[in-house]
Amino acid sequence: MTKHKQYYDLLVNDNKEIFDLLKNSFEKLSADTNNEGCKVKFEELRRQVLRLVQKYENMLCGKTYKAGFGGFTNSLADKFRAEVYEHFPFLNAQL
């Protein structure tokens, strides 16, 4: 398994509860787009998850960057983000 997939699995497994809450919140919002309470809750959870994604991305890429592989680090970060957005496309949702 590649490093970016390992860190993706680590991210989701370590934070399963918040990812489940985010998914449920998105489903409720999709069913009732006029509900301001759902929008606020979704945006709050979305921000928390994006901070977690950034944290795990930093963990993944930190050592590589320090070792002098800056170009490789950008590619690795892109692959990690693509993996996250493939499974959770609503993280990029504009409300």
Side-chain angles (χ1 to χ4, degrees), residues 82-93:
E83 186 75 21
V84 171
Y85 294 140
E86 178 181 328
H87 292 89
F88 300 98
F90 48 82
L91 283 174
N92 279 335

Side-chain angles (χ1 to χ4, degrees), residues 16-26 41 45:
K16 183 167 178 32
E17 185 177 313
I18 193 166
F19 277 98
D20 288 343
L21 288 170
L22 179 69
K23 184 178 179 188
N24 290 338
S25 179
F26 180 73
K41 182 68 173 172
L45 289 167

Side-chain angles (χ1 to χ4, degrees), residues 4 12 28 30 40 42-43 56 61 67 81 84 92-94:
H4 70 277
V12 174
K28 286 180 185 177
S30 295
V40 170
F42 174 75
E43 278 301 316
Y56 280 78
C61 298
R81 289 275 175 157
V84 171
N92 279 335
Q94 297 295 322

Side-chain angles (χ1 to χ4, degrees), residues 59-75:
M59 290 169 36
L60 170 64
C61 298
K63 292 179 184 174
T64 307
Y65 185 77
K66 288 178 186 175
F69 296 104
F72 177 73
T73 301
N74 290 339
S75 175

